[in-house]
Amino acid sequence: MAFFQHGSRTIHYSDRLLGDGPTLVLANSLGTDFRIWDPLLPLLDGIGRIVRYDKRGHGLSDVAPAPYSIRDLSGDLKAVTEHAGLDRFILGGVSIGGMIAQDYAAQFPQQVDGLVCMDTAPKIGDAKLWQDRIEAIARIGLEGIADGVMERWFTAAFRGKYPERTAGWRNLLTRTPQEGYVGCCAAIRDADLTEATRALAIPTLVVCGAEDGATPPALVRAMAESMPDARYVEIAEAGHIPSLEQPQALADAMNAFFKEKGLV
């Protein structure tokens, strides 16, 4: 466990040195912490250092007063990369973490050698969807929306085969600070990164679970098709968080991309 101070807030992060090779920085999804990457990490080839962190209002990082913007969240990521002393790296993110990665890459393209955007898009849903969720949470809390979220995160087959894992990740969601969760909902509600992402010339792998109920494959594929140097890979039998449901398939896609682009 490692922490540092960013302004008045504490950020929880992990900085794992594995050997020679490039650094991979990872940003997690809404309602999770950086443990969602645990099944994936041992399967990656050629990565020499892995930096993960809990975004504001999630995991062991401090909660800031809501609402947040994507630029607020990418600013926190900048604090992480500066604290870690990183000049160049591969950047990956899932869901809102993928939006954070897109915004970071648009601001600091000279730092990002490769981009991995998982189950994300430049714009996710519409303002009403996210405002309705914020208002629902005010009425019934995260517990009240948790079962529906699990249906989007994981396939029915996974939920049926691994009820204990599903229950554990459900616990992580419901124990997320409510202000942190709704603050990030507001960030997604207000974000439209379409033009900035379309202009990104960074080699990009765009991945989506074939049964993702939060960012459907057609939405994610359209993002890849709009970018000048992006490859789209769809992962069978996976929902919104492939690193938990199909880590080997996700690792295979990432390893092939890293090798093809000369990143490892």
Side-chain angles (χ1 to χ4, degrees), residues 23 30 66 107 142 145 160 168 173 193 205 224 241 252 256 264:
T23 297
L30 182 64
Q107 292 180 77
L142 288 170
I145 70 164
L173 168 68
L193 309 175
L205 174 66
I241 311 180
D252 290 346
V264 296

mmCIF file of all heavy atoms in Angstrom, residues 23 30 66 107 142 145 160 168 173 193 205 224 241 252 256 264:
data_model
loop_
_atom_site.group_PDB
_atom_site.id
_atom_site.type_symbol
_atom_site.label_atom_id
_atom_site.label_comp_id
_atom_site.label_asym_id
_atom_site.label_seq_id
_atom_site.Cartn_x
_atom_site.Cartn_y
_atom_site.Cartn_z
ATOM 1 N N THR A 23 6.730 1.109 -19.047
ATOM 2 C CA THR A 23 5.782 1.266 -17.941
ATOM 3 C C THR A 23 4.359 1.276 -18.489
ATOM 4 O O THR A 23 4.069 1.891 -19.512
ATOM 5 C CB THR A 23 6.052 2.581 -17.191
ATOM 6 O OG1 THR A 23 7.359 2.526 -16.621
ATOM 7 C CG2 THR A 23 5.030 2.810 -16.088
ATOM 8 N N LEU A 30 -15.779 2.922 -12.896
ATOM 9 C CA LEU A 30 -16.699 3.486 -11.920
ATOM 10 C C LEU A 30 -17.099 2.420 -10.901
ATOM 11 O O LEU A 30 -17.496 1.309 -11.265
ATOM 12 C CB LEU A 30 -17.937 4.004 -12.662
ATOM 13 C CG LEU A 30 -19.020 4.688 -11.853
ATOM 14 C CD1 LEU A 30 -18.513 5.970 -11.217
ATOM 15 C CD2 LEU A 30 -20.227 4.983 -12.764
ATOM 16 N N ALA A 66 -18.302 16.481 -4.608
ATOM 17 C CA ALA A 66 -18.880 16.322 -5.939
ATOM 18 C C ALA A 66 -19.506 17.653 -6.379
ATOM 19 O O ALA A 66 -19.844 18.482 -5.542
ATOM 20 C CB ALA A 66 -19.919 15.211 -5.918
ATOM 21 N N GLN A 107 -4.199 15.764 -23.843
ATOM 22 C CA GLN A 107 -3.452 16.868 -23.247
ATOM 23 C C GLN A 107 -1.943 16.670 -23.335
ATOM 24 O O GLN A 107 -1.191 17.635 -23.509
ATOM 25 C CB GLN A 107 -3.818 17.000 -21.769
ATOM 26 C CG GLN A 107 -5.226 17.448 -21.473
ATOM 27 C CD GLN A 107 -5.415 17.524 -19.969
ATOM 28 O OE1 GLN A 107 -4.960 18.470 -19.325
ATOM 29 N NE2 GLN A 107 -6.050 16.514 -19.412
ATOM 30 N N LEU A 142 -26.364 3.187 -3.265
ATOM 31 C CA LEU A 142 -25.686 2.271 -4.188
ATOM 32 C C LEU A 142 -26.224 0.853 -4.056
ATOM 33 O O LEU A 142 -26.242 0.101 -5.040
ATOM 34 C CB LEU A 142 -24.178 2.302 -3.944
ATOM 35 C CG LEU A 142 -23.481 3.586 -4.401
ATOM 36 C CD1 LEU A 142 -22.044 3.630 -3.895
ATOM 37 C CD2 LEU A 142 -23.507 3.707 -5.913
ATOM 38 N N ILE A 145 -29.002 0.095 -6.584
ATOM 39 C CA ILE A 145 -28.701 -0.063 -8.017
ATOM 40 C C ILE A 145 -27.730 -1.208 -8.289
ATOM 41 O O ILE A 145 -27.437 -1.518 -9.441
ATOM 42 C CB ILE A 145 -28.132 1.240 -8.620
ATOM 43 C CG1 ILE A 145 -26.717 1.525 -8.090
ATOM 44 C CG2 ILE A 145 -29.071 2.422 -8.370
ATOM 45 C CD1 ILE A 145 -25.953 2.561 -8.903
ATOM 46 N N GLY A 160 -23.637 -16.797 -12.895
ATOM 47 C CA GLY A 160 -24.131 -18.102 -12.478
ATOM 48 C C GLY A 160 -23.028 -19.030 -12.014
ATOM 49 O O GLY A 160 -23.204 -19.783 -11.040
ATOM 50 N N GLY A 168 -18.530 -10.512 -4.245
ATOM 51 C CA GLY A 168 -17.388 -9.726 -3.785
ATOM 52 C C GLY A 168 -17.260 -8.409 -4.518
ATOM 53 O O GLY A 168 -17.043 -7.354 -3.900
ATOM 54 N N LEU A 173 -18.546 -2.325 -5.061
ATOM 55 C CA LEU A 173 -19.394 -1.250 -5.569
ATOM 56 C C LEU A 173 -20.157 -0.570 -4.433
ATOM 57 O O LEU A 173 -20.135 0.664 -4.307
ATOM 58 C CB LEU A 173 -20.381 -1.812 -6.592
ATOM 59 C CG LEU A 173 -21.514 -0.870 -6.997
ATOM 60 C CD1 LEU A 173 -20.985 0.315 -7.789
ATOM 61 C CD2 LEU A 173 -22.585 -1.623 -7.788
ATOM 62 N N LEU A 193 -15.802 13.783 -25.411
ATOM 63 C CA LEU A 193 -14.410 13.842 -25.852
ATOM 64 C C LEU A 193 -14.269 13.514 -27.336
ATOM 65 O O LEU A 193 -13.166 13.254 -27.814
ATOM 66 C CB LEU A 193 -13.575 12.848 -25.025
ATOM 67 C CG LEU A 193 -13.714 12.953 -23.504
ATOM 68 C CD1 LEU A 193 -12.930 11.826 -22.833
ATOM 69 C CD2 LEU A 193 -13.254 14.303 -22.997
ATOM 70 N N LEU A 205 -5.260 0.509 -28.901
ATOM 71 C CA LEU A 205 -6.042 -0.724 -28.873
ATOM 72 C C LEU A 205 -7.368 -0.408 -28.201
ATOM 73 O O LEU A 205 -7.385 0.097 -27.076
ATOM 74 C CB LEU A 205 -5.302 -1.813 -28.102
ATOM 75 C CG LEU A 205 -6.077 -3.115 -27.869
ATOM 76 C CD1 LEU A 205 -6.357 -3.837 -29.185
ATOM 77 C CD2 LEU A 205 -5.320 -4.027 -26.904
ATOM 78 N N ALA A 224 -13.208 3.272 -32.170
ATOM 79 C CA ALA A 224 -12.003 2.798 -32.859
ATOM 80 C C ALA A 224 -12.002 3.225 -34.321
ATOM 81 O O ALA A 224 -10.966 3.648 -34.862
ATOM 82 C CB ALA A 224 -11.902 1.283 -32.739
ATOM 83 N N ILE A 241 -16.162 -5.501 -17.697
ATOM 84 C CA ILE A 241 -14.832 -5.474 -17.087
ATOM 85 C C ILE A 241 -14.080 -6.749 -17.470
ATOM 86 O O ILE A 241 -13.975 -7.700 -16.687
ATOM 87 C CB ILE A 241 -14.916 -5.309 -15.546
ATOM 88 C CG1 ILE A 241 -15.850 -4.156 -15.178
ATOM 89 C CG2 ILE A 241 -13.527 -5.055 -14.964
ATOM 90 C CD1 ILE A 241 -15.992 -3.914 -13.691
ATOM 91 N N ASP A 252 -4.042 -11.435 -24.105
ATOM 92 C CA ASP A 252 -3.622 -11.837 -25.454
ATOM 93 C C ASP A 252 -3.745 -10.660 -26.422
ATOM 94 O O ASP A 252 -2.851 -10.427 -27.251
ATOM 95 C CB ASP A 252 -4.473 -13.009 -25.944
ATOM 96 C CG ASP A 252 -4.184 -14.316 -25.217
ATOM 97 O OD1 ASP A 252 -3.147 -14.397 -24.520
ATOM 98 O OD2 ASP A 252 -5.005 -15.246 -25.342
ATOM 99 N N ALA A 256 -0.397 -8.846 -28.084
ATOM 100 C CA ALA A 256 -0.249 -8.786 -29.538
ATOM 101 C C ALA A 256 -0.109 -7.343 -30.011
ATOM 102 O O ALA A 256 0.717 -7.037 -30.892
ATOM 103 C CB ALA A 256 -1.448 -9.455 -30.204
ATOM 104 N N VAL A 264 6.953 -3.131 -26.704
ATOM 105 C CA VAL A 264 7.689 -3.984 -25.763
ATOM 106 C C VAL A 264 8.820 -4.683 -26.518
ATOM 107 O O VAL A 264 8.815 -4.768 -27.735
ATOM 108 C CB VAL A 264 6.779 -5.027 -25.079
ATOM 109 C CG1 VAL A 264 5.742 -4.350 -24.230
ATOM 110 C CG2 VAL A 264 6.133 -5.959 -26.092
#
